[in-house]
Every structure is written in C-alpha cells, then in structure tokens.
Amino acid sequence: MAASSSTAFLLKNPSNTSNVSSFKNPTFHSHNGYFFTPKRSNKPISITCSTQVQNPSTTTLPNSQSQDRVFNFAAGPATLPEKVLKKAESELYNWRNCGMSVMEMSHRGKDFVSIIEKAESDLRSLLNISSDYSVLFLQGGATTQFAAIPLNLCKPNDSVDYLVTGSWGDKAFKEAQKFCNPNVIWSGKSEKYTKIPSFDLLEQNPDAKYLHICANETIHGVEFKKYPTPKNKDGILIADMSSNFCSKPVDVSKFGIIYAGAQKNVGPSGVTIVIIRKDLIGNAQEITPVMLDYKIHAENNSLYNTPPCYGIYMCGLVFEDLLEQGGLEEVEKKNLKKAGILYDAIDESGGFYRCPVDKSVRSLMNVPFTLEKSELEAEFVKEATKEKMVQLKGHRSVGGMRASIYNAMPLAGVEKLVAFMKEFQARHA
Amino acid sequence: MAASSSTAFLLKNPSNTSNVSSFKNPTFHSHNGYFFTPKRSNKPISITCSTQVQNPSTTTLPNSQSQDRVFNFAAGPATLPEKVLKKAESELYNWRNCGMSVMEMSHRGKDFVSIIEKAESDLRSLLNISSDYSVLFLQGGATTQFAAIPLNLCKPNDSVDYLVTGSWGDKAFKEAQKFCNPNVIWSGKSEKYTKIPSFDLLEQNPDAKYLHICANETIHGVEFKKYPTPKNKDGILIADMSSNFCSKPVDVSKFGIIYAGAQKNVGPSGVTIVIIRKDLIGNAQEITPVMLDYKIHAENNSLYNTPPCYGIYMCGLVFEDLLEQGGLEEVEKKNLKKAGILYDAIDESGGFYRCPVDKSVRSLMNVPFTLEKSELEAEFVKEATKEKMVQLKGHRSVGGMRASIYNAMPLAGVEKLVAFMKEFQARHA
C-alpha cells in the first residue's frame, strides 16, 4: 500500500535556491517547497503536495479560493469534499430556482421531501440496504443513541454485551447502565485501547439481547476489520460507525443497528443516521422520550418533528459524490492508499514516529502517532499548521498527534503530511 | 396599526393594458401588477409589493438573485433574512480566510469557539439575559425539551401544571406524563384553541414544581401577551417560545426556563436554545439520557459532544442582524406593523376572511385565517403560489390558511399578501 513517496526522504527547500541547481528534473520540485532525494531508487519521484487544489477534477474552482484552503486533519467535524462545498455554496441562496434556501424550506414541502428521499435512496444504494431496514435521519449525535438503543431494545433487567475497544465504546456502555443490564465482555483499557481481541476468546453472555461494538474508535485509531457474531442466536450485533461510516462497503445484513454521527465522513454535525432492522422497532420502554423512540421516527419517515434539514441536504450531496466516485468499493481503495502511505511513513521512520495500535486493527480513518522525542510534538503541530496542515494535535485524553483522513481528505493532503513528517525528521533526528 | 394599503381594494391588472388607461397617477401601478382604486380616500395609494427585493437596504444584492426570491410564509423552517443568507453564502466555502467552511471546523478549535461564544453573547444582549442563567445550544427540537424539562426538574411523583393553549402545549403535557405528575389546569381545546384564559381564574396546584406555557402556538396563532405567575412561591414559569423567540423583548427573569427551536425566528432547523436559571440545573432523574441532562451541557458550554455547529453559526448571524436592526424593541415594532396590516385586512373584509382567534391574544407571528367560502381556499393558495407567495396552506390539523410572518418576513411580503387578498376578494365576493 506504500505510495512512491514513501521511498524518498525530503530536504527543506533552502531559501537560497541556487543550492538546488543540481536537480535536473523539474518534477523534483514539489508545489510546497520540498525537494526530494531518491533513497532506494534513482527514478525521480514526484509528490503532488499542494494546498492549491485539493480536487483537481473540479476545474471550475477559482484559484483564489482553493489557494486559501488548508488540509484539515480534524477528527470531526471534518473536511468535506471541495466539490460538495462548491455545490452547496452555489445553491445556498436559492435552491434550484425554488426561490429560497434549503434552510428556509418547510420540511413537509415537496422540495425538502425530494431532498430527504433522495438522500435516503442514495445511502441505500451506497450500502446496499435492504427494505428490511429503516433509515432514519435524527439529531443528538451518537451519544443520544447510547441511550436510545437500550431504551428501544431492552427491558430494564435485560442483559446486553459491550465489547469496549476505546473511549466511545466505554461511553456507550456507561449510558446503557441507566436502562438495562450491560456487561463489558472485553475491554482494551489496560492496554490503552490499542487492540481488538480474538472473537473466539470472548465470553459472551448467552442471553445478551445484543452485542455492541464501536466499529472505529476515533480517539484511539482502532478499527474492526471483521465483525463478531452474537452468541445468543436471537442476539443482534449493533455498531457505532460514526467515524468510519461509508468509508468502505459493509454487509448491513449482519447488523441489527448501525448508527453514525454524520460529521466525520458524510456531512456536517447535527445529523445522526440510524439504520435499523424493522423488526427491532416498536418495543421502547415507557420512559423513552418520544424523540428517542425509533417507532415514532420510522413511522414518520424522520419527519415527526422538524429534522435538521440543511444537514440532511449536505449529507445528500456527499452521498451523491460518493456514488459518482464509483461507490464504496472505490472509496475504500482510496482510503487504503492514503492510510498505507501514512502508516508506512510512521513504520519506516526508525522509531522517530510511533503508532501504538496493533497493526492488524489500525484505523483507515484516524491515525494516532507519537514522537519518540515527545518534547518535539508541540513544535511538530505548530510547523505543520504553518504549512497549512491543521488539527493534527491528538485528542486531549491521549496526547500525541492524530491525523484523521476521512473520505474527503485528498491523497494530496496525506502526501503533503508524509513529506512534512520526513522533512521534520531529517531536521530533528 | 393599519397601513395605508388597508384602505384600498385592488383590481387585477387586465392583460389588455388599455383598460387601465384611465388611471392618471403612475403610483397607482404597483410593481406586481395590481391596480388600486381608492375606497375611502381620493389620495393615491402606493403599495410597494415586490418580489424583486425583500430587503432594499442590501444594495449589493444582484438583481438576478433577488428577482427569483419568493415570499415564504412557512411556519418553520421559515424565511431567513436575505442579508444573513448572502453573508452565509459568501462565507460558506472559506470562513474569514481560515481555509475551511464552518461546517468543517473542529467544535473545540478556536474559530468555532469564537463563533459559539459570540452567538451566546449576542443573544444575551438581545434578551438582556443575566449571568444567573445558562444559555445552551442543543439538538432535538422543542420536542426533546418536552421530556428534558420534567426529567431535570422533577421527581417521578412531583406535580406540575400545564396551561394548554394549543397543540404544542398539549404535546408537552403528554410527554411529561412519562416522567412526573402533570396536570392540565386549563385547556382551550373545546374552543378550538382560540383563547387564553384570565390568569385569575386558573386553578393552579399549590405544590406544582412549575407552570408550563407555550408562549405562541404556531398552529393556532394564539400568543401570550403577558404571563401568569406560579401560585407555588417556589414554582417556576417555563415557556416554549419556539415560534416567537426573539420577536419582541421578554423579561427573562420571570422565567425558570425559556426554550425554542431555532427554525422560526433565529436560524435553520437543528438547533434548540435553552435559557435556564442556573439553580435549576443538577437534579436530573437517574433515567435521564446524558444528552437530556442540562448539567452536562451547562458544564461543557454546549460542547459535551459535537453540537450542530453550522446551525449555531447561522443563529449567530441572525442575532447579529437583530442587534443591527436596533434590538428587539425595534424588531417588535416591525412585527406589530406587519401583523396589524394583515389582521386589519382580515377584519375589514366584511367576513370574506375570518381569523378565529380572540383579538386580545392573536399571534404576531402566525396568522391563521379561513375563507367564508371555504371551497375557494385551495384556489386562494394556488393563486398566491403563482404570485410567488408560498406555504400559505394552514396546518393539516386545522385547515384553512396560515401566514407565518416571522422577523425575517419583510413588510413588503405582508403588503403583497394583503394586496392579493383584496384582489382575490374583489374577484370572488
């Protein structure tokens, strides 16, 4: 998965440009001021690191805008496709000549209904979601679902299992304690959430109504590559996919519920998507707030009360873009390539950079890493920011760095980061 | 409060313009094709009804855009200030040269923190909110607050009072039944929600922890002009102000909680604002979902989890705009004028149009009306739509028509509607 860039190391472009006159091939000169010295090959290597144009296919972008764009490695809200933002910009004031913004539309009017219906239809196409499942567009983030799931699926004494591979799985477990009888069947906490256990070794409760996982832990960078099967033959698998939703194909039929905050891969914050098998709907506890009752939302096609209309519209634009890219198989290929380049750069740094996560479960979306010389981490983040690569600081609970490289992060962004990492290492090794 | 337009009736501009050659004064010819015959005065009357420019002060608006804009009388999501939309459009792709959209910003980064802090600060200025109150930006609409309020303020056996003046107050009462012991101390249902009772006659429960009202019933057009005082000296007044929030000055200190969905007067859907007296925070029932616990949100300045960032940004732009207009005293003057013109047109129609609501409590925001000849209502809505006045159909639960004329509805929009109503009447009387 290593890109060509990982076979080179970089020297910062000296301010005196005469120093580089020995470079004969102009492709050695990248857009962002780095020069490359081939390490293992004599073949000239070109790295297209650029803050100018993130999506070269969007030829209509005015240069003045794209030149100002940074590479945003934030964990969420996160970078969105430039093409989608440009479309949203062009339609903000007057959506398709209807005379108003999407933000002003009645959620029960035909225009908005066409928007939400297309968003749902495109999401169903992307994930191949069968008619056995409802797709809901809700509010309140995954954190609201931490309560809604046990409230909808359990009686107060029911047992449920949580496989805790990071902070979010732990939060989901703790919230469930209010509404049922959850058990942590495995926790990676003692190993600082760097692993996922062998499923054979899990001691699942045979009566557990469901088995809950967080498919990708945003803070710790741990991602399930395959999924466990509930031991209880009537048990269901539930996954919080907030930070890897729509980043790769998923066999939805293996899950009872998949849920995700939109603000990583598919839209702005304020929209939560819940994909739920229809037979699981309709058994909420009496103390369930109406807004947490899946039955209400399913029966009303997510229009029981006013939904987050503009966020749903933005998600729809992203779904359209993902389909245009060729669907989630193609998206996964791009994500594998980006993550491969970055993990290679870390692993080939001779220990200068370290990623603590077990290689077999490293996230394609969130790449946490530390510096051997931890005193340099603040400087790393500061210099990267100057180079227009922002939000690289790790989550406050774990420190270090984290590069979130969701669907909308262009390959050029990861290449630029890798080039910077090598140059930084060369200066500080 | 009647505008000059209410003293004229209109004749549709005949397609053969020679028919109107007898009009000597060009001011008789309005922008939208109506001609006026003075009824009570010989003075020529000019009505500036126009779909071209809703906010003439925004001189930089390209005509091509404004010409396409409709007058949107939807009850929410609703029309937003044209100036705010233009600003949002100009900043969507790259917010103040930070290199990204507001939709892409980390909610913990300094840029977004500056946005939410300014939004809160401007709202505090608008409503003169003291430091005894927390201001929270939440999700889930007022409907989520229907549960959050009893969950945060009551034990399961606590009594609370609901004064039900419309469908929304009734929904709030029904949701509270899950979490405490609510009593309806008065309901306007038998009179089709057209009244608000004299407060002296209310039989409040002396032990009620709170008294809940819906300050403006969006569907029925009933608005409190003054507020009741809880009989229990420790009781607090709680108001759902979703559909008249920031439409006029309010003495916040009289309330324990004011809450409002943003999508009527202050922003797009997906943001709920809660203003809560700080001493009421911190006593939630154990079964309260973490996302419904005011303590969590107050302690984290609405950043416990990812908030609806873009919606909050839009609310901030609206708050700025309201302050620039001179604050809520000025805003109320405009709203009084708009509502006055419309109610006058209804009341002076000789029964052709009727508003069922008691005159003393008619809403400045939502104006429901019916036609004496109810068979013409569909035609009325259809013709208005052709004239670029949309979403005038009444709520499906009550029928008839409803004109929602929130802060952002320009005077010109109401004037155009009134002109159309008179012309329609002239043709169908």
Side-chain angles (χ1 to χ4, degrees), chain A residues 9-10 349-353 371-373 375-376 421-429:
Chain A
F9 65 90
L10 310 179
S349 71
F352 187 85
Y353 301 105
L371 260 68
E372 190 178 18
K373 301 174 183 174
E375 69 277 13
L376 289 175
M421 288 167 70
K422 295 186 178 184
E423 184 273 337
F424 187 88
Q425 180 175 357
R427 275 192 286 125
H428 295 281

Side-chain angles (χ1 to χ4, degrees), chain B residues 311-322:
Chain B
I312 293 168
Y313 155 76
M314 288 297 301
C315 290
L317 293 186
V318 172
F319 297 151
E320 245 177 40
D321 181 60
L322 295 176

Side-chain angles (χ1 to χ4, degrees), chain B residues 369-382:
Chain B
F369 59 98
T370 54
L371 260 68
E372 190 177 19
K373 301 175 183 173
S374 60
E375 69 277 13
L376 289 175
E377 289 177 351
E379 182 64 19
F380 180 95
V381 172
K382 191 175 156 192

Side-chain angles (χ1 to χ4, degrees), chain A residues 80 82 93 104 175 269 290 307, chain B residues 80 82 93 104 269 290 307:
Chain A
L80 288 165
E82 194 165 340
Y93 180 72
E104 304 176 291
E175 183 75 350
S269 61
V290 64
Chain B
L80 287 165
E82 193 165 341
Y93 180 72
E104 303 176 291
S269 61
V290 66

Side-chain angles (χ1 to χ4, degrees), chain B residues 96-379:
Chain B
R96 299 183 191 178
N97 270 330
C98 78
M100 65 178 80
S101 173
V102 172
M103 285 186 249
E104 303 176 291
M105 286 178 186
S106 168
H107 55 298
R108 303 195 190 283
K110 67 176 169 37
D111 287 332
F112 182 72
V113 169
S114 77
I115 288 171
I116 192 171
E117 284 180 350
K118 182 168 191 316
E120 179 179 336
S121 168
D122 284 353
L123 180 58
R124 284 183 181 274
S125 298
L126 279 169
L127 282 167
N128 196 22
I129 303 170
S130 85
S131 60
D132 294 338
Y133 288 77
S134 288
V135 173
L136 309 177
F137 293 95
L138 306 178
Q139 297 184 59
T143 306
T144 299
Q145 299 311 309
F146 296 168
I149 288 164
L151 278 168
N152 278 268
L153 269 55
C154 299
K155 300 283 171 279
N157 290 325
D158 283 346
S159 285
V160 295
D161 287 348
Y162 280 74
L163 205 171
V164 177
T165 55
S167 300
W168 290 105
D170 187 51
K171 284 193 181 193
F173 158 71
K174 283 177 176 150
E175 183 75 349
Q177 289 179 309
K178 296 175 184 169
F179 311 110
C180 65
N181 182 21
N183 310 294
V184 174
I185 57 166
W186 187 89
S187 169
K189 191 171 185 183
S190 64
E191 293 171 289
K192 295 187 177 174
Y193 296 127
T194 54
K195 290 184 171 52
I196 292 178
S198 164
F199 300 150
D200 299 338
L201 302 177
L202 292 176
E203 291 189 20
Q204 292 190 50
N205 182 330
D207 299 323
K209 296 272 279 193
Y210 63 75
L211 170 59
H212 182 280
I213 63 168
C214 178
N216 184 72
E217 285 284 353
T218 321
I219 294 174
H220 306 282
V222 173
E223 183 173 19
F224 283 79
K225 304 299 176 181
K226 52 190 181 172
Y227 303 103
T229 306
K231 187 171 180 181
N232 177 356
K233 71 174 174 50
D234 296 324
I236 61 162
L237 181 60
I238 298 180
D240 175 358
M241 292 197 182
S242 291
S243 52
N244 66 351
F245 190 61
C246 287
S247 68
K248 59 185 178 184
V250 166
D251 182 355
V252 172
S253 73
K254 289 194 172 165
F255 296 84
I257 299 176
I258 289 171
Y259 64 103
Q263 70 274 13
K264 319 288 189 180
N265 271 312
V266 299
S269 61
V271 181
T272 315
I273 293 163
V274 174
I275 302 168
I276 178 168
R277 222 174 62 206
K278 288 177 180 170
D279 65 295
L280 300 174
I281 296 172
N283 304 302
Q285 293 183 31
E286 284 182 15
I287 56 161
T288 307
V290 66
M291 286 296 288
L292 272 64
D293 187 342
Y294 295 136
K295 184 164 185 272
I296 293 288
H297 295 295
E299 284 177 352
N300 290 279
N301 298 314
S302 306
L303 299 173
Y304 171 69
N305 72 337
T306 317
C309 299
Y310 196 73
I312 293 168
Y313 155 76
M314 288 297 301
C315 290
L317 293 186
V318 172
F319 297 151
E320 245 177 40
D321 181 60
L322 295 176
L323 284 171
E324 282 168 15
Q325 288 183 45
L328 299 187
E329 289 80 6
E330 294 305 310
V331 169
E332 183 182 32
K333 282 181 199 165
K334 293 178 190 175
N335 287 330
L336 282 165
K337 183 167 185 187
K338 288 184 290 176
I341 292 172
L342 185 47
Y343 284 117
D344 280 353
I346 293 166
D347 292 341
E348 293 171 6
S349 70
F352 188 84
Y353 302 104
R354 292 170 192 262
C355 171
V357 180
D358 190 290
K359 282 190 183 181
S360 65
V361 294
R362 283 178 172 177
S363 170
L364 295 191
M365 301 283 102
N366 310 98
V367 181
F369 59 98
T370 54
L371 260 68
E372 190 177 19
K373 301 175 183 173
S374 60
E375 69 277 13
L376 289 175
E377 289 177 351
E379 182 64 19

